[in-house]
Amino acid sequence: MSTTVRATAAQTSDRLEPAVLKLGIVLVFGTILAVLDSTVVNVGIEAIRSDFGSSLATVQWISTGYLLAFALVAPISGWATNRFGARRVWMVSVACFVLGSALCGLAWSAASLIVFRVLQGLGGGLIQPIGQSMIAQAAGPKRIGRVMSLLIIPLTFAPALGPVIGGVLIGLLSWQWIFYINVPLGALTLLLAARVLPRSTPEGGQRLDVLGLLLISPGLAALIYGFSETGNGHGFADTIVHAPIAVGALLLAAYAVHALRPGATPVLDLRLFGRRAFSHAILTSFLVGAALFSSMFMLPLYYQQARGQDALHAGLLLIPQDLGIAVAMFFAGKLTGRLGLRTVILVGITLSMAGTLAYTQVGQAPGELLLSAALFVRGMGLGAAMSPMITAVFQSVEPHQMPQAAGINNVVHRIGGSLGTATLVIVLQHQIAQRGAGLADSFGTAFWWALAISALTLVPALALPGRPRP
């Protein structure tokens, strides 16, 4: 980090200086691009399939390829930051994402689009963890909670806004514009980054853990692919699901053995789990990811299948959740400083459970006003829990370990999301297949499971520190 930012971070004042705020805003822009794109494309799948005359099984790889590319590069974020410098790697990642976006819009076939989506994902997969570690190091431990309230925006807002933006672009223009829109936004982000991001001096000398990378990246990709196939109508008994999950689990187990050897310098340092505070924070992140992403998948699906809404209107019906997130984020940083991480996270989880409770009753056809109010409460809970949760991860490690912590957190968060989504999809499919089970009742049962996942999050959250570390 630059001398100016280091000095700023070292100050004892809780006030956020303009340099730190500008840094956070620029990094948020980049993260919004990557996270938003993971959901905005889902709305265009049918239009793309029709345009190219491809099967649904083929075009599903447009989303799956992007997700797997994310998983492949996420583990190297810590190594790349130390080896080449955070600023350089972050800007190259954004440039790669923008290039991939432009090529996606120019794709001439489903196969070419899938290849370009993988390129896009390779860039997008590094933007979020490196951005998080940069802002965490710049803010310092005392103010990290307030700054993380900025970074929480893309984690919660962008997935919900994706269907709305995608629906508008496809309705007014064409599916190509869900990719072209990233080009001017990405170019603006790069221009701002060139002026705002502090220059960093690479540590150098650290060799890439090639064996570890060959174990963990394919392992994560196989695991996430297996879970994602449940969304295509497959159950855990199907080979296409349990085979990659088994292979992924074996590769990750082998990586754990490799990474924990004495004197090892692994691509992701699992020895951080020796810190109890870090382990509790990561477990909380895993379960919050499971609850967040599974519900983000299930909510628009409910409105489209059970209530007959199109993708655009389903996205608009999720706006109350976005408003709740915005309200909570406005207060989350200050409340964390006063009440401590544990209290704010527990209150947030409780609110998200209260908001989810109304959806367990969808079999009784509750009114849209009640469901909208419940979504607002749920959004407040998510906004209140997510920011201090990420803060807990970074406060549990030393400043030089933050890039590694960011990489681990993003990997675990996505695994939790994939597992949670797969669980709810299996439950929903099982309920629909049962004789006499109505569609709304089936969704109600799936939301009960989402509520149970949120309740599990309370267990590791109770072990988090009550006050920020001095």
Side-chain angles (χ1 to χ4, degrees):
M1 306 295 290
S2 69
T3 304
T4 302
V5 175
R6 282 189 182 277
T8 298
Q11 292 177 1
T12 58
S13 172
D14 288 341
R15 185 175 63 89
L16 295 177
E17 289 77 8
V20 178
L21 286 174
K22 290 178 182 178
L23 175 64
I25 291 171
V26 171
L27 294 174
V28 163
F29 282 165
T31 307
I32 285 177
L33 286 174
V35 178
L36 179 65
D37 202 75
S38 64
T39 58
V40 71
V41 174
N42 292 338
V43 180
I45 290 295
E46 179 56 31
I48 294 170
R49 187 198 66 78
S50 177
D51 197 10
F52 288 139
S54 303
S55 65
L56 186 60
T58 298
V59 296
Q60 284 293 343
W61 277 95
I62 295 169
S63 295
T64 303
Y66 182 83
L67 183 64
L68 296 184
F70 246 74
L72 285 171
V73 298
I76 70 169
S77 61
W79 170 83
T81 297
N82 293 331
R83 180 67 177 81
F84 301 106
R87 182 182 189 268
R88 182 183 303 172
V89 177
W90 193 86
M91 292 185 66
V92 168
S93 299
V94 173
C96 181
F97 178 86
V98 172
L99 174 62
S101 298
L103 292 173
C104 284
L106 297 172
W108 57 89
S109 65
S112 64
L113 180 55
I114 292 169
V115 171
F116 296 146
R117 280 286 281 171
V118 170
L119 174 63
Q120 197 185 26
L122 292 175
L126 290 177
I127 293 174
Q128 187 171 320
I130 293 178
Q132 286 182 349
S133 66
M134 287 178 72
I135 192 62
Q137 289 177 319
K142 286 197 66 176
R143 300 173 303 173
I144 192 172
R146 295 183 62 188
V147 179
M148 282 302 161
S149 294
L150 291 174
L151 288 180
I152 207 62
I153 296 173
L155 289 177
T156 49
F157 247 88
L161 290 177
V164 179
I165 296 174
V168 170
L169 290 174
I170 293 172
L172 297 178
L173 299 168
S174 66
W175 65 261
Q176 284 87 351
W177 281 93
I178 62 180
F179 300 110
Y180 286 148
I181 192 66
N182 292 327
V183 177
L185 295 177
L188 175 62
T189 299
L190 285 173
L191 287 174
L192 293 174
R195 298 186 60 181
V196 173
L197 297 192
R199 297 188 179 276
S200 55
T201 303
E203 294 182 6
Q206 182 179 351
R207 298 180 59 185
L208 178 63
D209 177 20
V210 177
L211 177 57
L213 188 63
L214 292 175
L215 291 172
I216 193 170
S217 288
L220 288 172
L223 200 68
I224 292 175
Y225 172 72
F227 288 141
S228 68
E229 278 301 304
T230 61
N232 296 328
H234 300 289
F236 279 113
D238 295 339
T239 303
I240 198 171
V241 173
H242 68 247
I245 289 177
V247 171
L250 287 174
L251 288 173
L252 293 181
Y255 174 77
V257 174
H258 164 77
L260 294 175
R261 292 175 303 130
T265 55
V267 65
L268 278 185
D269 191 359
L270 300 185
R271 287 166 294 197
L272 289 178
F273 285 97
R275 294 169 171 256
R276 292 184 60 186
F278 180 79
S279 297
H280 292 145
I282 288 295
L283 182 54
T284 303
S285 178
F286 173 82
L287 292 171
V288 168
L292 172 65
F293 287 105
S294 61
S295 296
M296 286 293 191
F297 176 86
M298 199 62 58
L299 285 166
L301 197 64
Y302 162 71
Y303 279 113
Q304 291 179 72
Q305 292 192 2
R307 297 219 166 193
Q309 302 286 351
D310 59 27
L312 175 57
H313 287 89
L316 292 173
L317 287 168
L318 298 181
I319 287 180
Q321 180 170 262
D322 300 334
L323 295 176
I325 291 170
V327 170
M329 285 191 301
F330 184 79
F331 297 102
K334 293 182 179 179
L335 288 176
T336 300
R338 293 178 182 178
L339 304 176
L341 293 167
R342 182 174 60 232
T343 300
V344 177
I345 292 176
L346 291 175
V347 170
I349 294 170
T350 303
L351 284 174
S352 69
M353 291 172 61
T356 306
L357 186 62
Y359 281 84
T360 65
Q361 307 302 312
V362 291
Q364 307 300 319
E368 286 192 0
L369 183 60
L370 173 62
L371 293 180
S372 295
L375 272 184
F376 180 79
V377 173
R378 173 179 162 78
M380 288 187 63
L382 292 174
M386 289 289 289
S387 176
M389 180 203 72
I390 298 174
T391 302
V393 172
F394 287 118
Q395 284 190 344
S396 65
V397 298
E398 300 301 325
H400 70 277
Q401 296 171 320
M402 286 180 177
Q404 284 281 343
I408 292 174
N409 180 58
N410 278 270
V411 166
V412 169
H413 195 66
R414 288 201 167 271
I415 292 176
S418 299
L419 178 59
T421 301
T423 301
L424 262 61
V425 168
I426 293 295
V427 170
L428 180 62
Q429 291 173 344
H430 176 73
Q431 289 296 312
I432 293 175
Q434 283 186 337
R435 182 175 300 177
L439 190 57
D441 289 324
S442 299
F443 273 100
T445 301
F447 282 118
W448 273 114
W449 278 73
L451 186 66
I453 294 173
S454 296
L456 283 176
T457 312
L458 293 170
V459 178
L462 285 168
L464 293 175
R467 293 282 179 181
R469 189 172 62 184

